[in-house]
């Protein structure tokens, strides 16, 4: 959709890049059709971008020479594209001397300068460090909003996908298993395979009664809300929705569990907690409050909001 980003997620070998090449017209589908509306070119930025001989400015300018544009229009587009991706100061530098991150920014600037109707990006954050990924995510999101281009981006990195996308498509085993709005796919995956891929790591077999309580083991239960299933089922809960209960009334109590893992990346602290014979995960903000106080071996009270609990049928496919 114009001005929107569709993230195509999938494990290695799922067919993400092949799908992107089919959308670009570089591969013929074995069956089905690729349909598009609107105007403008379809442009693809490959996973391993290349630079032509000459300056950064020349690399963007040469992409516009076949479009019959006048010099003022070319100057405008080149200047805007380089500025949007933070490489205007590198305009006269030889493109062959760019770093990996700068080369990716050049490839994106060149693609946006063409003003395509559709832009296809294959792993644009590959090989970038965390800071460079975050900056490029922000620049990409802002430029898409400014230009109104329709973007499909292939990535295996869920965190990057969530930062830039409006919609998510999940590709498993060569099939599009689910396509929908970002929050819908993240919080209401259609099966266990999609749930695992989009970060719903807490997946438990349960027995759901007429009271909508999912019983995991004797004495252990999770409240649900609006579950369509009764009897054997799966319960899914995103780590950020599992709360360590400190009496703030953030949900319905699930009882206590034991902390068996405490790991931090400097931004989030991940706790691994055994509960009802299963290992659950939750996230805390690193370096503050409970993230500093809780240690491996501690007993913690857990809580959840019923509306955050997702249920799936017992025979839900895993891959």
């Amino acid at each position: 959709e114009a001005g929107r980003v569709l993230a195509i997620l999938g494990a290695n070998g799922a067919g993400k890049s092949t799908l992107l090449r089919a959308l670009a017209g570089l591969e013929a589908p074995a069956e089905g059709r690729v349909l598009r509306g609107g105007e403008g070119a379809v442009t693809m930025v490959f996973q391993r971008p290349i630079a032509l001989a000459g300056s950064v400015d020349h690399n963007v300018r040469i992409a516009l020479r076949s479009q019959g544009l006048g010099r003022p229009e070319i100057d405008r587009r080149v200047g805007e594209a380089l500025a949007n991706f933070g490489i205007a100061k590198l305009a006269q530098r030889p493109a062959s001397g760019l770093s990996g991150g700068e080369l990716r920014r050049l490839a994106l600037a060149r693609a946006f300068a063409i003003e395509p109707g559709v832009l296809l990006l294959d792993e644009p954050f590959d090989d970038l460090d965390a800071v460079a990924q975050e900056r490029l995510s922000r620049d990409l999101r802002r430029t898409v909003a400014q230009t109104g281009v329709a973007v499909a981006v292939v990535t295996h990195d869920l965190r990057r996908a969530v930062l830039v996308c409006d919609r998510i498509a999940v590709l498993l085993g060569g099939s599009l298993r689910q396509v929908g709005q970002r929050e819908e796919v993240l919080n209401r995956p259609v099966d266990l395979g999609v749930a695992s891929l989009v970060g719903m790591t807490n997946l438990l077999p349960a027995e759901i009664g007429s009271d909508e309580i999912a019983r995991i083991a004797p004495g252990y239960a999770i409240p649900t809300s609006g579950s369509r299933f009764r009897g054997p089922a799966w319960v899914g809960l995103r780590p950020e929705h599992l709360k360590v209960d400190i009496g703030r009334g953030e949900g319905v109590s699930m009882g206590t569990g034991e902390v068996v893992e405490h790991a931090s990346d400097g931004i989030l602290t991940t706790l691994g907690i055994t509960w009802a014979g299963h290992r659950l995960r939750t996230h805390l903000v690193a370096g503050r409050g409970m993230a500093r106080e809780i240690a491996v071996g501690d007993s913690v009270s857990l809580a959840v909001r019923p509306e955050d609990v997702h249920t799936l049928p017992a025979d839900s496919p895993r891959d």
Side-chain angles (χ1 to χ4, degrees), residues 11 13 31 33-34 36 64 66 91 98 135 144 152 164 190 194 196 206 224 271 291:
E31 58 184 69
R33 295 179 297 165
V34 176
R36 63 170 293 240
L64 302 175
S66 63
L98 297 180
R135 289 175 179 167
V144 169
V164 302
V190 296
V194 174
S196 296
T224 72
L271 298 182

Side-chain angles (χ1 to χ4, degrees), residues 12-58:
N12 290 335
K16 302 186 299 297
S17 295
T18 302
L19 174 60
L20 213 62
R21 290 175 63 85
L23 296 178
L26 301 176
E27 300 233 8
E31 58 184 69
R33 295 179 297 165
V34 176
L35 304 176
R36 63 170 293 240
E39 299 178 352
V42 177
T43 300
M44 182 168 174
V45 177
F46 294 90
Q47 185 174 2
R48 296 285 178 259
I50 60 172
L52 304 174
S55 68
V56 168
D57 179 273
H58 171 74

Side-chain angles (χ1 to χ4, degrees), residues 170 172 177-178 188-205 233-237 310-319:
V170 178
L172 289 172
R177 193 73 65 83
Q178 185 173 1
R188 295 292 181 261
V190 296
D191 57 43
L192 293 177
V194 174
S196 296
L197 196 63
V198 300
M200 187 172 279
T201 53
N202 299 320
L203 294 166
L204 307 173
W234 287 90
V235 170
L237 185 63
H310 183 48
T311 56
L312 292 162
D315 58 354
S316 177
R318 286 182 170 272
D319 51 30

Side-chain angles (χ1 to χ4, degrees), residues 41-290:
V42 177
T43 300
M44 182 168 174
V45 177
F46 294 90
Q47 185 174 2
R48 296 285 178 259
I50 60 172
L52 304 174
S55 68
V56 168
D57 179 273
H58 171 74
N59 267 261
V60 179
R61 196 172 294 274
I62 198 170
L64 302 175
R65 287 184 177 173
S66 63
Q67 295 193 342
L69 303 173
R71 179 66 179 267
E73 177 64 9
I74 291 177
D75 290 346
R76 180 190 70 80
R77 291 197 191 186
V78 171
E80 287 183 359
L82 293 178
N84 280 339
F85 287 96
I87 53 174
K89 63 182 181 297
L90 306 179
Q92 301 310 315
R93 181 180 296 183
S96 59
L98 297 180
S99 67
E102 291 166 345
L103 187 58
R104 289 194 177 279
R105 288 177 173 275
L106 170 57
L108 287 168
R110 188 164 50 202
F112 274 97
I114 298 171
E115 296 187 355
V118 178
L119 180 58
L120 308 173
L121 306 178
D122 193 358
E123 298 286 4
F125 309 107
D126 206 20
D127 299 332
L128 299 181
D129 61 40
V131 173
Q133 287 183 3
E134 184 175 351
R135 289 175 179 167
L136 186 57
S137 298
R138 292 198 304 266
D139 290 345
L140 178 60
R141 184 78 193 184
R142 185 189 66 252
T143 306
V144 169
Q146 289 174 353
T147 60
V149 66
V151 177
V153 54
V154 156
T155 180
H156 64 274
D157 189 325
L158 177 64
R159 185 178 293 184
R160 297 275 77 77
V162 170
L163 277 176
V164 302
C165 77
D166 304 282
R167 301 171 70 234
I168 294 175
V170 178
L171 191 65
L172 289 172
S175 298
L176 280 172
R177 193 73 65 83
Q178 185 173 1
V179 182
Q181 295 298 315
R182 177 182 58 196
E183 299 304 321
E184 174 194 352
V185 177
L186 291 176
N187 295 304
R188 295 292 181 261
V190 296
D191 57 43
L192 293 177
V194 174
S196 296
L197 196 63
V198 300
M200 187 172 279
T201 53
N202 299 320
L203 294 166
L204 307 173
E207 186 79 20
I208 301 179
S210 58
D211 56 1
E212 296 192 74
I213 299 297
R215 291 167 177 83
I216 310 301
Y220 294 91
I222 298 176
T224 72
S225 177
S227 174
R228 297 180 291 115
F229 307 107
R230 297 294 181 268
W234 287 90
V235 170
L237 185 63
R238 297 192 63 82
E240 59 267 29
H241 292 156
L242 177 63
K243 305 298 183 181
V244 177
D245 188 7
I246 56 173
R248 292 178 179 171
E250 292 188 274
V252 178
S253 174
M254 292 169 47
T256 61
E258 181 184 349
V259 178
V260 294
E261 177 189 4
H262 186 292
S264 173
D265 63 4
I267 299 173
L268 290 178
T269 292
T270 298
L271 298 182
I273 300 170
T274 57
W275 178 86
H278 299 275
R279 176 178 284 201
L280 305 179
R281 297 179 70 191
T282 186
H283 297 316
L284 305 173
V285 178
R288 53 185 290 190
M290 289 183 294

